[in-house]
């Protein structure tokens, strides 16, 4: 199923994430594609809200990954500083692609071969003008 | 005369593999961070490729090298201190298992150290006589935290980033400007030649109550600025962006120091090595009667000397050790350290 939504603010971007969270179930893998500053982490904040997670979701870029407990466990991964599946396997994160329990949301999935292809949901964010983003969801 | 107390520190929580040897609580006698270049040079470029976070293959080299440089032998070690969190589970396990194994084999005590508490101890390697209470700003690629240190081991979280860490924002804006990773040092250099008032970027959260930080919006502001004005001098963008990051860090940190009735602030972590940031902190601190202190740059970025320092302090002051069953704690917070 394909869907395209225009988000005009960070709040609207979060709302897309909240909506997305409703249909998530254990073992799902979500790929988030979009340039720096396009709102990928903001969308994941929305997914976290939708999964009834109360912790603050912060960027996983440095640590590569953070987990949060809610209706489902949310594994938030960031392949920004990674260039191969081997590198992810080295630190044990290949086991989350997809995870056995919980859902994984991966930023910069195209940096590692095979993640986008293995995803249940692909979210693509394009920058339009100052405030608007086009969010295309394929599931 | 009794033989000196030697602590071996091991840090493998994320990217860096680091080993350090400490004599007493604060005298660093070896401090090594693995770099691919160093090993390649030593083996004439013929070592097989060692992957970036392959800590297991790097650790034995570094421990041997540290012992050789400090001119001590394994049986002169008194304590092993290893980071047990926060960080990535795989790398943490490697460092912990190695440290525990060595401590078991040598029959010496072992202690796990919180990486964040290690950063707080980094200043002590530079100023051994300084002790809490003080406010601490831990600011790096992975963390932006304000912590009230009432005593060592007694911390209260005052503020944190709600999205990107400050160092991460620097790296990502660096990427937009075409600078390689990590970008901190190069942004510092570019900013030297730029005008910090050329562009007025937002000061996120600067006037909101509380002491939390946010840098994601600032990153986006730079992105849009560059899209609209692709011809802008890189130096001016770097200087203006850095000015915005520094403004927020300095304002919030000094306010928090005052609010908690303290007169000293230590700034630690990789971003603390930034020269513009240090200058502003010292000048604005003076105006408000607050002493602002920084570790030497080599102890700002991730290192094992700070881990050895925190471990040696806890062991020598309180006799604290950990059993070999201590598991890695990827989401460890400083708050948990206070409850120990």
């Amino acid at each position: 199923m394909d869907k395209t939504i225009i988000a005009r603010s960070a709040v609207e971007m979060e709302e897309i994430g909240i909506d997305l969270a409703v249909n998530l179930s254990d073992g799902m893998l979500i790929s988030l594609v979009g340039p720096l500053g396009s709102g990928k982490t903001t969308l994941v904040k929305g997914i976290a809200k939708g999964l009834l997670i109360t912790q603050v979701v912060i960027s996983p870029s440095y640590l590569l990954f953070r987990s949060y407990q809610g209706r489902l466990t949310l594994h938030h991964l960031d392949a920004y500083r990674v260039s191969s599946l081997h590198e992810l396997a080295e630190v044990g994160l290949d086991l989350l692609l997809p995870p056995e329990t919980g859902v994984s949301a991966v930023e910069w999935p195209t940096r590692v071969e095979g993640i986008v292809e293995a995803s249940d949901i692909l979210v693509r964010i394009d920058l339009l003008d100052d405030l608007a983003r086009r969010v295309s969801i394929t599931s | 005369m009794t033989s000196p107390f030697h602590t071996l520190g091991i840090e493998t929580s994320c990217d860096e593999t680091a080993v350090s040897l400490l004599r007493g609580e604060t005298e660093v006698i070896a401090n090594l961070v693995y770099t691919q270049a160093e090993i390649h040079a030593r083996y004439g470029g013929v070592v097989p490729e060692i992957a970036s976070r392959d800590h297991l293959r790097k650790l034995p080299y570094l421990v041997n090298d540290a012992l050789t440089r400090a001119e001590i032998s394994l049986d002169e070690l008194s304590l092993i201190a290893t980071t047990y969190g926060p960080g990535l589970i795989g790398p943490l396990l490697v460092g912990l298992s190695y440290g525990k194994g060595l401590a078991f084999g040598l029959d010496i005590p072992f202690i796990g150290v919180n990486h964040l508490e290690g950063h707080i101890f980094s200043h002590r390697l530079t100023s051994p006589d300084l002790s809490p209470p003080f406010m601490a700003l831990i600011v790096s690629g992975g963390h932006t935290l304000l912590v009230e240190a009432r005593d060592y081991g007694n911390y209260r979280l005052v503020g944190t980033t709600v999205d990107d860490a400050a160092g991460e924002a620097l790296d990502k804006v660096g990427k937009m400007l075409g600078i390689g990773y990590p970008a901190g040092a190069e942004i510092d250099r570019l900013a030297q030649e730029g005008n910090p008032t050329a562009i007025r970027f937002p000061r996120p959260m600067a006037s909101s109550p509380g002491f939390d930080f946010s840098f994601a919006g600032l990153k986006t502001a730079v992105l849009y600025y560059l899209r609209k004005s692709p011809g802008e001098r890189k130096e001016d963008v770097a200087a203006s962006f850095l000015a915005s990051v520094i403004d927020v860090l300095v304002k919030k940190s000094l306010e928090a120091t005052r609010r908690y009735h303290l007169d000293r602030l230590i700034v630690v972590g990789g971003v603390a090595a930034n020269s513009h940031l240090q200058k502003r902190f010292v000048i604005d601190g003076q105006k408000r009667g607050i002493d602002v202190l920084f570790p030497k740059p080599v102890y700002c970025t991730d290192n094992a000397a700070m881990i050895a320092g925190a471990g040696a302090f806890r062991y020598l002051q309180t006799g604290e050790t950990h059993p070999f069953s201590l598991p890695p704690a990827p989401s460890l917070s400083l708050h948990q350290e206070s409850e120990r």
Side-chain angles (χ1 to χ4, degrees), chain A residues 36-38 41 45 56-59 61-66 78 80-82 86-87 90-91 93 108 127-133, chain B residues 13-15 51-54 87-91 141-142 161-164 168 171-172 175-176 181 219-220 223-224 227-228 302 330:
Chain A
L36 274 175
S38 59
T41 299
K45 279 176 181 274
V56 178
V57 170
I58 61 176
S59 167
S61 293
Y62 183 75
L63 216 51
L64 309 185
F65 132 95
R66 294 180 189 271
D78 190 332
Y80 186 70
R81 305 192 308 118
V82 171
H86 172 74
E87 258 191 74
E90 219 170 70
V91 293
L93 292 180
W108 300 99
L127 298 168
L128 298 178
D129 56 52
D130 254 25
L131 290 167
R133 274 89 164 148
Chain B
S13 64
C14 196
D15 291 1
S52 56
R53 296 178 194 88
D54 190 352
L88 281 164
I89 183 120
T161 181
V162 298
D163 40 52
D164 295 4
E168 177 184 344
D171 282 330
K172 291 191 169 168
K175 169 93 176 176
M176 295 174 195
Y181 181 91
K219 177 183 73 185
T220 306
L223 173 76
Y224 277 112
R227 277 162 64 103
K228 262 192 288 180
D302 283 355

Side-chain angles (χ1 to χ4, degrees), chain A residues 11-61:
Chain A
V11 172
E12 289 187 16
M13 187 62 91
E14 269 200 28
E15 280 169 2
I16 296 173
I18 294 173
D19 284 346
L20 207 55
V22 176
N23 297 315
L24 296 179
S25 57
D26 273 324
M28 286 180 103
L29 179 60
I30 306 163
S31 277
L32 299 148
V33 179
L36 274 175
S38 59
K40 298 182 292 299
T41 299
T42 305
L43 194 137
V44 176
K45 279 176 181 274
I47 294 178
K49 280 191 183 164
L51 292 175
L52 312 179
I53 288 163
T54 52
Q55 286 164 280
V56 178
V57 170
I58 61 176
S59 167
S61 293

Side-chain angles (χ1 to χ4, degrees), chain B residues 120-134:
Chain B
I120 291 179
F121 271 83
S122 66
H123 82 89
R124 203 164 175 257
L125 304 170
T126 306
S127 333
D129 300 325
L130 182 74
S131 55
F134 49 64

